[in-house]
Amino acid sequence: MRTQVVIIGSGPSGLLLGQLLSRAGIDNVILDRVSKEYILNRVRAGVLEEGTVYLLEKVGAGQRLHREGLPHDGFTLAFNGRGHRIDMLNLSGGKRVMVYGQTEVTRDLMDAREATGTITRYEADKVTPREFSGETPYVTYEKDGVTHRIDCDFIAGCDGYHGVSRKSVPRDAIKEFERVYPFGWLGILADVPPVSHELIYANHPRGFALCSMRSERRSRYYVQCPVDDKVEDWSDDRFWDEIRRRLPAEQAEALVTGQSFEKSLAPLRSFVSEPMRFGRLFLAGDAAHIVPPTGAKGLNLAASDVHYLSEALIEYYNEKSQAGLDNYSQKALARVWKAVRFSWWMTTMMHRFPDTGEFGQRIQEAELDYLIHSPAASAALAENYVGLPF
Ligand code: APR
Ligand code: PHB
């Protein structure tokens, strides 16, 4: 079999790239290790920048998002027992974000792809990118015990942090940067109305807490916890007690609790690998970088990567020019590092660190106090939160 671009990974990066290429007439095949159902059961973050919304609209995956998504004009930073609203819309010169779960984004992209009849192979084993340093790359995989080969012009590694693409690159051709944070986030989903119609990011001596949502009836809440905690140790009652203690009194009293139907613990890390191109193999999304969820940049970075990559591939096929491909890594990484910086900064300002003590807490409170009172600092926060342009 032959196609123009083999995309490894059917997460948001791979699916969005596939749609951007298909609508430009570029043939592509997506391969994923797991099943469609498995992918649709992964719970991830849910804040979309305007640039991400625009790309989803462009590829025909924006209708439900506009029907069911919740546009947000601001969010609250809580510390020292009080909440302070960041007026994102006015501080950013008119930009807002859309709260819409990543699982739903993935479902809409899958539906849009299926409507065009483009090939996706789920449950493909031993997917391996090959010969990408030369002119004739190909990908092999196994399905039902049979080995398949797809010849192509390019390979897009959209297979997430644990994927095979980055690992296929010779060690001496890649440089990795990493910071692992000494805590995790315990997250729950529950069908209770959100405590506030905007997100609340809370700094508290007991640790960080976040109140988010999926709809007007479904809440997504998180508390910072030790990374080696077990989900089983966190009963619903313990979770609700803990988050209540970390919120300002007004919200703590208003919190509606109920049975959770999803509970998981995620470690936090910042990670970047450079470059994002190796001959005819291009990395995009979590395959190339990870950010902690504070600031909700993961999915939005995946969107800007595949935007740059699709433009470069379209330029190659339409104008026979390599310039965009040659520039891809540098262009994507410039935006990646700014989001890595922002999410590292927000994480550092909002969480309890085991080794910084009361000094660290005072520094955080001073920074937060400065942030809410200085129009310049508030504007910088809003500008990054709504997403830097791409
Ligand atoms: N072979 C084939 N597919 C693979 C392999 C492999 N060896 N390894 C991983 N995959 C698939 C996974 O099953 C998954 O469906 O690649 C896909 C990667 O998807 P994501 O992990 O969602 O990564 P990405 O599409 O880059 O999405 C980025 O997701 O994790 C969030 O914070 C992140 O929001 C960001 C977004
Ligand atoms: C979420 O809704 O899951 C969410 C929202 C904002 C974040 C992280 C996660 O910063």
Side-chain angles (χ1 to χ4, degrees):
M1 182 181 180
R2 187 179 163 83
T3 188
Q4 289 173 299
V5 182
V6 173
I7 300 171
I8 306 178
S10 180
S13 305
L15 288 162
L16 181 56
L17 178 63
Q19 286 304 105
L20 289 165
L21 296 181
S22 293
R23 68 185 286 287
I26 301 171
D27 275 349
N28 60 89
V29 172
I30 296 185
L31 301 173
D32 203 292
R33 192 166 48 88
V34 300
S35 68
K36 183 177 169 183
E37 293 65 39
Y38 184 93
I39 295 171
L40 288 174
N41 276 318
R42 286 196 292 237
V43 179
R44 299 267 174 84
V47 177
L48 310 182
E49 296 172 1
E50 285 184 358
T52 305
V53 171
Y54 168 75
L55 289 175
L56 291 168
E57 285 165 357
K58 184 162 143 180
V59 302
Q63 291 93 333
R64 193 161 69 99
L65 161 72
H66 282 294
R67 263 198 327 272
E68 297 177 16
L70 305 170
H72 279 212
D73 296 350
F75 61 89
T76 290
L77 285 177
F79 62 101
N80 275 341
R82 287 191 51 206
H84 309 267
R85 182 168 190 268
I86 300 294
D87 182 351
M88 201 158 55
L89 185 74
N90 286 314
L91 287 162
S92 70
K95 298 207 171 89
R96 39 170 67 95
V97 295
M98 183 74 97
V99 173
Y100 187 68
Q102 182 175 318
T103 314
E104 306 314 315
V105 171
T106 309
R107 186 188 300 279
D108 295 346
L109 284 167
M110 283 176 171
D111 289 350
R113 185 172 178 87
E114 276 165 29
T116 63
T118 319
I119 300 173
T120 309
R121 295 261 181 274
Y122 293 106
E123 296 173 283
D125 285 332
K126 300 194 185 140
V127 175
T128 313
R130 298 184 188 272
E131 301 293 333
F132 50 81
S133 53
E135 296 289 300
T136 51
Y138 63 98
V139 178
T140 56
Y141 68 97
E142 284 180 19
K143 176 106 181 145
D144 304 324
V146 180
T147 303
H148 299 263
R149 167 177 172 148
I150 311 180
D151 291 284
C152 56
D153 300 330
F154 300 102
I155 303 170
C158 299
D159 47 353
Y161 180 67
H162 298 289
V164 64
S165 301
R166 193 181 68 253
K167 290 185 192 129
S168 306
V169 174
R171 294 300 307 159
D172 57 1
I174 198 162
K175 185 164 168 53
E176 299 184 343
F177 303 82
E178 184 175 52
R179 164 156 303 208
V180 177
Y181 300 90
F183 41 73
W185 277 19
L186 184 83
I188 67 157
L189 274 171
D191 280 329
V192 292
V195 65
S196 151
H197 65 277
E198 293 183 340
L199 270 61
I200 303 172
Y201 289 86
N203 174 307
H204 189 275
R206 294 182 65 86
F208 171 74
L210 170 61
C211 302
S212 181
M213 67 202 70
R214 289 292 173 271
S215 70
E216 271 141 24
R217 277 157 287 109
R218 180 166 292 181
S219 297
R220 177 76 169 150
Y221 293 142
Y222 300 92
V223 293
Q224 173 188 350
C225 68
V227 74
D228 47 10
D229 267 16
K230 301 275 166 287
V231 173
E232 305 78 73
D233 299 336
W234 284 88
S235 64
D236 283 357
D237 284 347
R238 179 175 172 207
F239 182 89
W240 292 122
D241 283 346
E242 190 58 44
I243 196 162
R244 218 184 262 115
R245 294 173 81 160
R246 297 183 189 189
L247 295 176
E250 191 191 334
Q251 279 85 20
E253 278 155 32
L255 188 75
V256 181
T257 64
Q259 201 183 350
S260 73
F261 61 90
E262 202 275 342
K263 200 181 275 160
S264 52
L265 204 156
L268 269 69
R269 77 172 72 225
S270 301
F271 170 85
V272 183
S273 74
E274 293 185 353
M276 288 169 65
R277 181 225 182 143
F278 307 89
R280 287 178 172 252
L281 170 68
F282 295 85
L283 302 182
D286 278 17
H289 41 75
I290 296 285
V291 288
T294 334
K297 290 289 163 232
L299 173 62
N300 296 298
L301 274 187
S304 56
D305 284 356
V306 300
H307 165 71
Y308 295 138
L309 182 54
S310 65
E311 297 272 286
L313 288 165
I314 293 166
E315 180 183 323
Y316 172 86
Y317 284 110
N318 288 352
E319 298 165 33
K320 308 272 171 290
S321 160
Q322 300 259 6
L325 294 174
D326 291 343
N327 209 14
Y328 166 69
S329 180
Q330 202 192 348
K331 202 167 177 177
L333 282 167
R335 188 168 193 277
V336 164
W337 272 110
K338 291 186 190 87
V340 169
R341 185 212 65 85
F342 176 67
S343 41
W344 159 83
W345 169 74
M346 235 180 128
T347 302
T348 306
M349 179 172 68
M350 297 306 294
H351 291 73
R352 201 90 336 277
F353 283 74
D355 55 350
T356 54
E358 286 181 36
F359 178 81
Q361 174 78 21
R362 287 288 193 280
I363 291 288
Q364 288 181 342
E365 286 164 9
E367 178 152 27
L368 284 159
D369 197 48
Y370 165 66
L371 199 52
I372 59 162
H373 288 112
S374 155
S378 300
L381 167 64
E383 182 183 30
N384 282 277
Y385 195 89
V386 299
L388 297 175
F390 60 87

